[in-house]
DNA sequence: CCCCCAGGTCTTTTT
DNA sequence: GACCTGGGGG
């Protein structure tokens, strides 16, 4: 991405632009881009198709505002989607402006809100040292609440409750609102209200915010305290929001609040005093100018509350809005763009927009169908090796997938092929148990009122303090109204605790007190409870010394708990890896201390809470990047693999019944395709192991939406089982006999939905690509179209259209395998059957191969034949 | 109080 | 296949 400028043909050839005027901020931009840079006025919408150079436009716009003295850097608030994008933007601005980026806020919604909340926390009963609960913390808290209220018998789980609460909070709704609108005769709704209320209370007691609160509470803060809002409204004169299509209602409201004018009655409280030239004709400070950038075709976060209407209705929303459309793509070849256009064109609920490029067609998209996900992964690994041999850097290659669980097979093959790779997101470093344990110490040190962190800290490593002791301490803490640490110090006052536990607890409390003193830099000043009035003098402690480096605090914790030593002492090799992870955490803390000297523990915890999946991407790492399609948004790579392009995966099974679900999945596919610059590979498998057993997979409907002339199949879905001609034999063999139960049902469905593919250069395809329909009942339409497609295909199968490859699934029929049989496998060679499990079409053979060892195979579908005994 | 094992449940995507 | 829960034994 750093070399984007170099690859930008607009810069190289000038295109249709007027001759360069010698302005570095405008030269090399196309006319639309220029308009977006120089446009002024209250509101600007930049509709930026994928790869149309929007980051460049945004940075140039900001630089232009500053260079033309229309704004000080400190008057700019730029919101990006990830911290990485923010860092990149700041870097590019530095390149354009030199040093003049001091004081500019370039950050994510969440980081910006934390910054505001930490400053203003005291105004609404929080302490600035509040904890940020990630989803796991929220769920841990909800789990306790659900158990306390016996709500699990009503089907409430931490996961579904947390999702529902999150959704409500994204709509800026709280428990009181919910209670007033719910159907009170429904016991489930009443119970949910109780859970929600308890959850809010517990968060407050813990001095903690969850992710959604960060936005929502900031909005509440602004609404409840116009004087606070006035400070920020006055400060930020230009607000720019990237990826606007993925903003939710809370984020939208935040932007709305910030772009309102400051009314005359608020002016008096502002410091420094308001000067005449800041005011408009009505004696107000006018609202900030707003620039939003987005692409409704790339809206993929509806599940998180993102509301596509925010961007679609922007013009209605902000009157006098100017609109600039960027459609020229500087990233991909025409073939890739044509595929992307073809796919997204099937979403009928969008404004038509076509990406185009001045570059040539480029290579065709390469397609491959493996018969299993291992086969698919093997192809990916081999192609990566080829690309690398031909001179492409590993860092220029990315592999995308829909679900995190798909990484397993890919990693296995990449390891075997000695290809350096890294997985972004997924099981994150900070999700590991041992890391969470260590982090719990740091969190409880920063916020001794946080029960989740305290409880985790108490139990790890095991020290003989169990749930009973924990409950006694927690009760004492609540009754006395002290911090958890103070409760521990006074363990002697709790008669229910045994002498041994008392000693352990007091010693632990002593260690925490030392660590706290270090972390806060004071002489052991106890952090005050979350009460607004008292919190004031917490900050006025002039005698405070500088906080110690985070690494020192962590070192104290690790040393005194002997966490690393205890792990090393175990004989499980996994525990060695855990010990190394803790060493790694220490290294991360040292790195943080070096990057931000004196920032302290709280800043470290904040940063860790807000890292996004794409943030740990290191452009210089020189490794292949693996990530979900969601994480891929905003990134680009010369070579891209999209894997698992199957029905049920993309579109994901879960989305099929959701309102607009298919359309969102299609956008996800579109995002994936448009990440590729030169080479795009689309792969799938005809069987996939899920849940431990193996199921038949069908090619994704999105695959059929790509014109076949754009794809060069190395192995098409129709060919995959065609080796040795067994497929046709199997297909003529008719319906599988005796396939009972659910497996039979799924089998017959698969047989009915044969897919027509132009494998091997077949002519005009009869592929059932449905016409874009008009209307707005998208879900119903989706279903109807799906049914139409299936009907058409069924007809095609029966009527025998010439290009239809009848049946794309191998079928070994009722091949009987028994213990001890020798078989030959197309890929693995010869092997011996150890066992056969399952029944019907789900029969699985456990085979030890001479070359690769034990494998499990679906008898019906595996490319195997029985050797004579 | 802690460890181990059997059995049930689940899997979309993430700041 | 992985993770969590609950019961039994040490």
């Amino acid at each position: 991405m750093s070399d984007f400028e170099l690859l930008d043909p607009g810069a190289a050839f000038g295109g249709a632009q007027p001759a360069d005027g010698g302005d570095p901020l405008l030269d090399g931009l196309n006319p639309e881009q220029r308009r977006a840079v120089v446009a002024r006025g209250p509101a600007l919408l930049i509709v930026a198709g994928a790869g149309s150079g929007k980051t460049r436009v945004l940075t140039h716009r900001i630089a232009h505002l500053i260079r033309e003295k229309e704004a000080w850097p400190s008057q700019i608030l730029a919101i990006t989607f990830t911290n990485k994008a923010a860092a990149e933007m700041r870097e590019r601005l530095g390149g354009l402006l030199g040093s003049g980026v001091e004081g500019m806020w370039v950050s994510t919604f969440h980081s910006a809100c934390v910054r505001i909340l930490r400053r203003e926390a005291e105004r609404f009963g929080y302490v600035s040292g509040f904890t940020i609960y990630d989803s796991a913390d929220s769920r841990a808290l909800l789990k306790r609440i659900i158990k306390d209220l016996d709500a699990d018998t009503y089907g409430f789980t931490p996961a579904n409750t947390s999702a529902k609460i999150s959704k409500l909070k994204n709509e800026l709704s709280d428990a009181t609102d919910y209670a007033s609108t719910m159907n009170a005769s429904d016991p489930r709704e009443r119970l949910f209200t109780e859970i929600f209320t308890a959850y809010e209370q517990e968060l407050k007691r813990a001095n903690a915010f969850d992710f959604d609160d960060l936005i929502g509470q900031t909005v509440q803060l602004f609404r409840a305290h116009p004087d606070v809002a006035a400070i920020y409204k006055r400060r930020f004169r230009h607000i720019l929001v990237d990826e606007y299509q993925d903003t939710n209602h809370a984020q939208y409201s935040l932007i709305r609040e910030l772009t309102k004018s400051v009314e005359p009655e608020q002016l008096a409280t502002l410091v420094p005093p308001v000067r005449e030239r800041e005011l408009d004709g009505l004696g107000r400070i006018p609202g900030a100018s707003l620039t939003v950038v987005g692409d409704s075709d790339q809206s993929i976060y509806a599940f998180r509350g993102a509301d596509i209407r925010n961007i679609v209705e922007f013009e209605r929303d902000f009157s006098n809005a100017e609109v600039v459309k960027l459609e020229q793509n500087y990233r991909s070849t025409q073939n890739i763009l044509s595929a992307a256009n073809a796919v997204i064109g099937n979403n009928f609920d969008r404004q038509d927009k076509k990406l185009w490029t001045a570059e040539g067609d480029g290579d065709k998209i390469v397609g491959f169908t493996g018969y299993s996900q291992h086969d698919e992964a093997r192809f990916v690994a081999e192609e990566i090796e080829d690309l690398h041999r031909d001179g492409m850097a590993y860092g220029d290659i990315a592999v995308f997938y829909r679900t995190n669980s798909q990484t397993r097979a890919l990693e296995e093959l990449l390891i075997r092929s000695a290809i350096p790779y890294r997985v972004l997101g997924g099981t994150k470093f900070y999700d590991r148990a041992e890391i969470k344990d260590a982090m719990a110490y740091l969190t409880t040190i920063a916020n001794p009122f946080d029960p989740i962190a305290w409880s985790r800290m108490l139990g790890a490593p095991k020290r003989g303090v169990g749930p009973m002791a924990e409950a006694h301490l927690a009760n004492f803490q609540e009754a006395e109204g002290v911090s958890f640490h103070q409760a521990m110090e006074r363990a002697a006052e709790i008669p229910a605790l045994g002498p041994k536990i008392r000693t352990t607890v007091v010693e632990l409390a002593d260690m925490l007190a030392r660590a706290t003193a270090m972390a806060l830099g004071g002489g052991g000043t106890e952090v005050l409870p979350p009460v607004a009035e008292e919190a004031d003098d917490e900050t006025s402690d002039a005698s405070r010394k500088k906080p110690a480096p985070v690494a020192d605090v962590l070192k104290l914790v690790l040393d005194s708990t002997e966490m690393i030593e205890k792990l090393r002492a175990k004989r499980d090799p996994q525990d060695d890896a855990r010990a190394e992870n803790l060493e790694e955490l220490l290294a991360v803390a040292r790195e943080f201390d070096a990057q931000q000297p004196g920032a302290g523990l709280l800043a470290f915890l904040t940063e860790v809470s807000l890292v996004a999946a794409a943030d740990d991407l290191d452009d210089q790492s020189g490794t292949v990047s693996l990530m979900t399609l969601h994480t891929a948004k905003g990134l680009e790579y010369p070579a891209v693999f999209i894997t698992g392009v199957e029905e049920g995966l993309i579109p994901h099974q879960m989305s099929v019944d959701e309102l607009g679900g298919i359309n969102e999945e299609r956008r996800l596919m579109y995002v994936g395709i448009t990440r590729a610059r030169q080479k795009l590979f689309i792969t799938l498998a005809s069987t996939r192991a899920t849940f431990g057993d193996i199921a038949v997979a069908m090619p994704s409907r999105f695959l059929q939406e790509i014109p076949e002339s754009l794809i060069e199949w190395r192995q098409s879905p129709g060919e995959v089982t065609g080796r040795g001609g067994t497929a046709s034999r199997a297909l003529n063999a008719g319906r599988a006999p005796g396939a009972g139960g659910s497996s039979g049902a799924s089998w017959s469905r698969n047989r009915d939905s044969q897919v027509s593919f132009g494998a091997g250069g077949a002519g005009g395809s009869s592929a059932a690509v449905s016409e874009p329909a008009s209307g707005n009942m998208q879900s119903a339409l989706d279903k109807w179209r799906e049914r139409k497609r299936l009907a058409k295909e069924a007809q095609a199968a029966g009527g025998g259209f010439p290009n239809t490859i009848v049946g794309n699934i191998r079928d070994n029929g009722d091949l009987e395998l028994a213990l001890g049989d020798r078989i030959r496998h197309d890929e693995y060679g010869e092997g011996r059957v150890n066992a056969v499990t399952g029944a019907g079409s789900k029969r699985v053979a456990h085979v030890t191969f001479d070359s690769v060892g034990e494998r499990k195979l679906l008898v019906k579908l595996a490319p195997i034949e029985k050797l004579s005994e």
Side-chain angles (χ1 to χ4, degrees), chain A residues 422-720:
Chain A
R422 46 193 282 143
V423 180
L424 302 189
T427 0
K428 276 174 280 175
F429 181 68
Y430 294 102
D431 286 344
R432 295 170 189 277
E434 64 278 10
I435 299 299
K436 292 201 111 158
D437 291 343
M439 292 299 291
Y441 279 85
L442 298 184
T443 307
T444 195
I445 288 163
N447 178 6
F449 286 89
D450 181 344
I452 303 286
W454 172 76
S455 152
R456 178 155 199 134
M457 176 278 300
L458 203 60
K462 302 266 176 262
R463 49 168 71 87
V465 184
M468 282 307 287
E470 181 187 322
H472 284 126
L473 283 162
N475 288 338
F476 183 81
Q477 181 268 338
E478 192 170 1
E480 298 287 313
V482 295
S483 77
F484 284 106
H485 298 182
Q486 287 166 328
M488 288 166 72
E489 281 162 12
R490 292 164 60 185
E493 297 171 42
I494 306 170
L497 295 179
K500 196 156 172 242
I501 289 184
R502 282 186 200 178
T503 320
T504 312
V505 167
V506 172
E507 276 172 14
L508 184 58
D510 180 55
M511 187 274 281
L512 290 173
R514 276 183 290 134
T516 306
M518 254 173 101
L520 298 180
T525 3
E526 185 63 50
V527 171
L528 294 161
V531 176
E533 297 77 44
E534 296 172 62
D536 276 340
D537 43 21
E538 197 242 353
T539 43
S540 63
D541 184 352
S543 67
R544 174 152 310 157
K545 282 173 280 175
K546 259 177 81 176
V550 178
D552 291 1
V553 181
L554 181 59
K555 190 86 170 65
L556 172 64
V557 167
L558 292 178
D559 286 348
S560 53
T561 57
E562 298 174 321
M563 283 170 103
I564 295 179
E565 291 77 3
K566 280 178 179 156
L567 284 171
R568 292 237 188 263
K570 293 195 189 175
R571 60 198 191 304
D572 189 340
Q574 287 240 311
D575 288 318
D576 268 333
R578 296 194 176 102
E580 273 162 36
N581 285 335
L582 287 173
E583 309 265 20
E584 172 71 17
L585 181 64
L586 202 51
V588 170
R590 287 208 186 92
E591 171 77 16
F592 175 85
D593 290 326
Q595 297 274 318
Q596 301 181 46
L601 183 59
L602 206 52
F604 179 69
L605 291 172
T606 304
E607 188 167 295
V608 167
S609 318
L610 297 180
V611 286
D615 288 342
D616 47 342
L617 184 94
D618 174 6
D619 296 329
Q620 263 78 58
S621 67
T623 61
V624 174
S625 300
L626 272 63
M627 69 191 84
T628 64
L629 285 161
H630 282 90
T631 303
K633 194 176 75 159
L635 306 176
E636 61 174 22
Y637 293 88
V640 162
F641 292 80
I642 303 180
T643 66
V645 185
E646 298 150 25
E647 282 294 298
L649 222 38
I650 177 156
H652 196 275
Q653 196 55 49
M654 291 282 145
S655 71
V656 172
D657 293 324
E658 278 167 23
L659 190 73
I662 295 291
N663 287 351
E664 175 140 330
E665 297 286 306
R666 191 174 276 111
R667 291 194 291 268
L668 195 53
M669 185 74 190
Y670 174 77
V671 165
I673 294 172
T674 51
R675 300 307 94 197
R677 274 196 198 152
Q678 296 142 25
K679 295 225 156 228
L680 176 62
F681 297 81
I682 292 183
T683 69
L684 63 154
S686 59
T687 64
R688 189 165 292 271
T690 46
F691 260 142
D693 61 14
I694 307 165
V696 173
M698 296 299 299
S700 165
R701 66 192 76 184
F702 303 147
L703 203 43
Q704 300 172 66
E705 293 170 358
I706 300 176
E708 64 181 79
S709 60
L710 298 175
I711 304 184
E712 170 203 330
W713 282 101
R714 297 290 170 77
Q715 184 160 279
S716 79
E719 286 174 298
V720 64

Side-chain angles (χ1 to χ4, degrees), chain A residues 314-450:
Chain A
F314 183 81
E315 291 167 80
R316 202 176 315 164
D317 229 19
F318 294 85
S319 50
N320 302 324
E322 198 170 334
V323 181
V324 177
K325 269 193 192 180
L326 307 178
E327 287 181 293
Q328 183 174 1
N329 177 292
Y330 296 110
R331 180 187 293 155
S332 313
T333 64
Q334 189 59 50
N335 277 340
I336 291 168
L337 295 181
S338 299
N341 284 332
V343 169
I344 200 68
N346 286 282
N347 273 1
F348 50 84
D349 56 348
R350 65 189 276 277
Q351 275 198 314
D352 199 42
K353 177 167 97 240
K354 285 241 186 303
L355 296 176
W356 61 279
T357 179
E359 286 186 60
D361 284 348
D363 296 337
K364 280 196 180 188
I365 296 165
V366 175
F368 179 83
T369 313
Y371 79 87
S372 69
Q373 70 260 49
H374 303 288
D375 200 21
E376 179 191 26
R378 190 175 47 79
F379 173 79
V380 170
E382 282 170 5
E383 288 299 317
I384 290 175
E385 282 182 326
D386 282 355
L387 289 170
H388 188 244
R389 208 173 301 123
D390 292 345
M392 186 173 278
Y394 286 126
D396 287 343
I397 304 170
V399 183
F400 303 156
Y401 36 80
R402 175 67 233 269
T403 67
N404 284 305
S405 60
Q406 289 168 250
T407 48
R408 207 178 306 278
L410 289 164
E411 284 193 72
E412 201 178 295
L413 266 294
L414 291 175
I415 290 170
R416 212 188 292 173
S417 314
I419 295 170
Y421 72 93
R422 46 193 282 143
V423 180
L424 302 189
T427 0
K428 276 174 280 175
F429 181 68
Y430 294 102
D431 286 344
R432 295 170 189 277
E434 64 278 10
I435 299 299
K436 292 201 111 158
D437 291 343
M439 292 299 291
Y441 279 85
L442 298 184
T443 307
T444 195
I445 288 163
N447 178 6
F449 286 89
D450 181 344

Side-chain angles (χ1 to χ4, degrees), chain A residues 246-298:
Chain A
D246 281 320
T247 50
N248 60 36
H249 180 70
Q251 293 165 332
Y252 167 82
S253 305
L254 183 74
I255 294 302
R256 275 242 88 131
E257 290 300 324
L258 277 173
T259 49
K260 284 181 182 163
S261 52
V262 183
E263 297 303 316
E265 56 266 32
Q266 296 301 335
L267 298 181
T269 60
L270 290 169
V271 226
V274 177
R275 277 167 296 185
E276 188 61 39
R277 59 184 169 85
E278 290 182 65
L279 303 176
D280 66 6
L282 297 167
R284 307 174 305 188
I285 301 179
S289 90
L290 175 64
T291 303
V292 304
V293 190
D295 176 6
S296 45
D297 287 337
Q298 294 185 62

